[in-house]
Amino acid sequence: MNQSQKTVGEALVEGLKARDVACVFGIPGVHTVELYRGLAASGLRHVTPRHEQGAGFMADGYARASGKPGVAFVITGPGLTNTLTPMAQARADSVPMLVISGVNAQASLGKGLGHLHELPDQHGLAKSVALTSQHVAKPEELNEALNKVFEPFAKGRPGPTHIQVPLDVAGAEATELRAPQQSAMQEIDAQQLQLVAQKMANAKRPVILVGGGAKRTGQALDTLAEVLDAPVVQTANARGLMHQHPLVVPASPSLTAVRQLIEDADVVLALGTEFGPTDYDMYASGVMPQMQALIRVDLCDRQLHRHAAEQRVQAEAGAFVQALVQALPATRPAHGGAERAAHTRAAAQKEIGADYRAQLAILEAIRDAVPGSLMVGDSTQPIYAGNLYYDHDRAGGWFNAATGYGALGYGIPAAIGASIAAPGSRVICIVGDGGAQFSLPEVMTAVDEELPITFVIWNNRGYREIATSMEAVDVAVVGCDPTPPDFAATARSFGIPYVTVEDTPDAVAAALETAPSQGPNFVEITAPVFAPTKD
């Protein structure tokens, strides 16, 4: 092969760049060397995590903060299996993620010969989680494979996709890549739009539900809510929209107060929400909020038909909201929307209880100390509290893995990906002492990349939420008190600033206000330690 000819690995990197990929997260290995051949000269940024699971979670955080697919390069076998958990989290939350892996030479596949990193069926394993998994058997198949894995990011409900390139193909001479396919924006059905507009205009007690699919609706959602005089209930993945707006209800629809608001509505407009139980029935009652008339708007036709609805509209939420605003009269009689929203907010805050209200106060102190930050969380008590009730001040700026798939260890690497996607923004990562131990080494990636992330560690010396749940059903508390590391010593080993504070809003706010704005740092909050009840 002469120097002017490209390998499949080089063409793959070129194809990523042509599709507006700017950053790749990955750990190189002997099975991906050929994928890296063109990377140095490509201009793409490469970020090295400490574990392939970290690569996947970083790609997830990058995608949520940027709106563009996050890309991970992983090796054959264990590299892919380590990334399956982030892929499952991305699928649960409809996050665009592309995982590119090697695979053993084609002549060996499925034969159990004991090759390095061999799996019985790597392609089948990836297909069980990915929206689509493409095997590049010949150089000329690369172009179509790229088109297929990027297609779900442009239309339909996004999620993780996968390409695997065999060792004997990655270094082969590539065929010429064609220009990427351009997906046309799905048009909104005019008849359906007018029918929705008529129903909403005639509603006396409308309510709007917004999920993660609506988080980029922007000012148009404010306008729609105001025109309809409709309270807007947000799931966890929609928080940050309509901050402090009199019509916003930044509270879980699992709460009784919020369910009452929804069930009292004569029309409910649901935008980009899948009605998942971790949002709508987190207490596992087996009963979802009952609605008199439901209008669902979602990108995915299959998702639209998973729940009964009076009307279903397949459309992107942002485009539909803009079109609906234009189809409605500019004004309509007020029906007490702000009063209904205010009553629900007050009742929801009361309902979450004193412990969670105390943690909510800390979240609000962090938000006000670092306005406009990206707040990325793991499964830990302040995040559970915030998912029940919290009003963030940046659209798309509150996300975590405590709903849906619920993968522990998400927060630290996802915060790193988010920081890379949003240069110039402060990132606050809220993680428990237990969850931190799943992915603590990834902090060194933040050190390498000099990222402005404050890692807020909620240290109650164990898995308090699980211990409380065990005790509540009279199960002896076992396995919930893993000893945490010395986080001060850990910070010193990382070479980053550290401070410890009490669990009060003023103390936490002061720590955040004085935390360095350049590079990573630790703020450890000393939280109450769970003590099981003695007989």
Side-chain angles (χ1 to χ4, degrees):
M1 188 183 303
N2 63 48
Q3 291 185 342
S4 64
Q5 294 172 323
K6 293 186 178 69
T7 65
V8 169
E10 289 175 301
L12 173 61
V13 172
E14 184 181 291
L16 294 176
K17 190 171 182 179
R19 289 163 175 80
D20 200 30
V21 172
C23 182
V24 171
F25 303 91
I27 303 174
V30 293
H31 281 193
T32 53
V33 168
E34 285 298 334
L35 301 183
Y36 277 78
R37 183 179 292 277
L39 200 60
S42 69
L44 297 185
R45 182 176 183 176
H46 183 272
V47 176
T48 307
R50 286 0 185 212
H51 190 283
E52 289 94 354
Q53 181 171 282
F57 285 145
M58 288 178 193
D60 178 300
Y62 179 93
R64 297 196 202 213
S66 68
K68 297 164 57 176
V71 180
F73 273 16
V74 300
I75 64 166
T76 307
L80 179 69
T81 56
N82 284 338
T83 316
L84 287 174
T85 293
M87 290 172 70
Q89 183 71 52
R91 179 149 188 167
D93 286 343
S94 304
V95 176
M97 175 196 296
L98 170 59
V99 175
I100 300 172
S101 74
V103 71
N104 292 98
Q106 295 188 90
S108 73
L109 296 180
K111 296 182 178 178
L113 300 174
H115 285 280
L116 180 66
H117 302 328
E118 184 177 7
L119 282 167
D121 183 4
Q122 179 175 296
H123 192 205
L125 187 61
K127 285 195 290 186
S128 70
V129 178
L131 296 178
T132 182
S133 175
Q134 299 297 313
H135 176 84
V136 181
K138 298 179 290 187
E140 55 266 32
E141 293 179 359
L142 175 62
N143 199 84
E144 183 62 19
L146 283 167
N147 285 337
K148 286 183 177 179
V149 295
F150 274 86
E151 184 178 18
F153 308 149
K155 61 181 182 181
R157 197 176 188 89
T161 63
H162 170 247
I163 289 179
Q164 65 177 23
V165 184
L167 291 175
D168 52 331
V169 175
E173 182 180 348
T175 57
E176 185 176 356
L177 282 181
R178 298 182 297 278
Q181 290 179 344
Q182 300 297 320
S183 297
M185 179 70 72
Q186 183 176 353
E187 293 187 7
I188 297 169
D189 184 290
Q191 187 174 358
Q192 281 199 320
L193 176 66
Q194 289 302 320
L195 185 57
V196 173
Q198 181 180 356
K199 290 178 179 177
M200 298 308 299
N202 292 334
K204 298 294 188 294
R205 299 180 310 282
V207 166
I208 301 171
L209 306 179
V210 291
K215 69 180 181 181
R216 301 187 190 280
T217 50
Q219 183 62 43
L221 180 62
D222 297 49
T223 303
L224 177 63
E226 291 161 5
V227 168
L228 295 175
D229 192 29
V232 178
V233 176
Q234 302 171 332
T235 67
N237 283 331
R239 301 293 172 79
L241 293 166
M242 299 179 64
H243 176 57
Q244 292 187 339
H245 194 288
L247 288 167
V248 75
V249 181
S252 169
S254 292
L255 294 171
T256 300
V258 183
R259 285 185 166 213
Q260 189 66 54
L261 174 72
I262 295 169
E263 293 179 354
D264 284 347
D266 54 353
V267 180
V268 175
L269 175 63
L271 303 169
T273 179
E274 67 175 1
F275 289 103
T278 54
D279 278 311
Y280 287 84
D281 187 29
M282 67 164 290
Y283 299 113
S285 68
V287 179
M288 301 287 278
Q290 303 301 298
M291 289 163 271
Q292 296 183 44
L294 172 63
I295 302 169
R296 289 197 70 187
V297 179
D298 199 282
L299 275 171
C300 178
D301 183 62
R302 284 183 298 174
Q303 181 59 243
L304 284 170
H305 286 83
R306 285 176 181 151
H307 296 280
E310 183 176 279
Q311 185 178 352
R312 302 178 178 93
V313 181
Q314 188 176 1
E316 191 276 323
F320 184 82
V321 168
Q322 291 183 6
L324 183 56
V325 168
Q326 296 300 315
L328 287 165
T331 59
R332 48 161 269 163
H335 293 290
E339 291 80 5
R340 289 189 291 141
H343 173 79
T344 304
R345 289 194 300 268
Q349 281 203 48
K350 182 178 180 181
E351 185 179 338
I352 66 174
D355 285 350
Y356 273 174
R357 283 197 298 274
Q359 291 163 40
L360 171 60
I362 289 175
L363 291 175
E364 292 173 338
I366 294 172
R367 177 197 64 202
D368 296 344
V370 191
S373 66
L374 286 158
M375 202 174 290
V376 183
D378 214 317
S379 294
T380 190
Q381 285 194 303
I383 296 300
Y384 299 143
N387 283 347
L388 281 177
Y389 191 104
Y390 172 66
D391 187 10
H392 197 53
D393 64 350
R394 175 174 177 157
W398 168 270
F399 59 86
N400 55 76
T403 61
Y405 195 62
L408 202 57
Y410 171 88
I412 290 174
I416 291 168
S419 185
I420 289 169
S425 295
R426 284 282 297 278
V427 176
I428 311 300
C429 175
I430 301 177
V431 58
D433 58 292
Q437 294 180 73
F438 277 60
S439 51
L440 196 56
E442 302 298 352
V443 172
M444 285 306 298
T445 303
V447 173
D448 287 348
E449 301 293 328
E450 301 179 349
L451 301 175
I453 305 173
T454 297
F455 296 99
V456 177
I457 301 167
W458 180 262
N459 190 352
N460 57 20
R461 302 187 65 83
Y463 304 135
R464 180 172 178 179
E465 195 73 18
I466 304 303
T468 303
S469 298
M470 293 173 77
E471 191 172 59
V473 293
D474 199 28
V475 172
V477 178
V478 176
C480 293
D481 56 351
T483 302
D486 182 334
F487 287 108
T490 303
R492 285 196 299 273
S493 74
F494 290 156
I496 64 175
Y498 164 90
V499 64
T500 181
V501 297
E502 295 181 348
D503 62 333
T504 66
D506 288 346
V508 174
L512 268 293
E513 287 168 352
T514 58
S517 59
Q518 303 295 320
N521 60 92
F522 274 8
V523 172
E524 180 180 358
I525 300 176
T526 304
V529 177
F530 178 79
T533 301
K534 303 296 183 182
D535 290 334

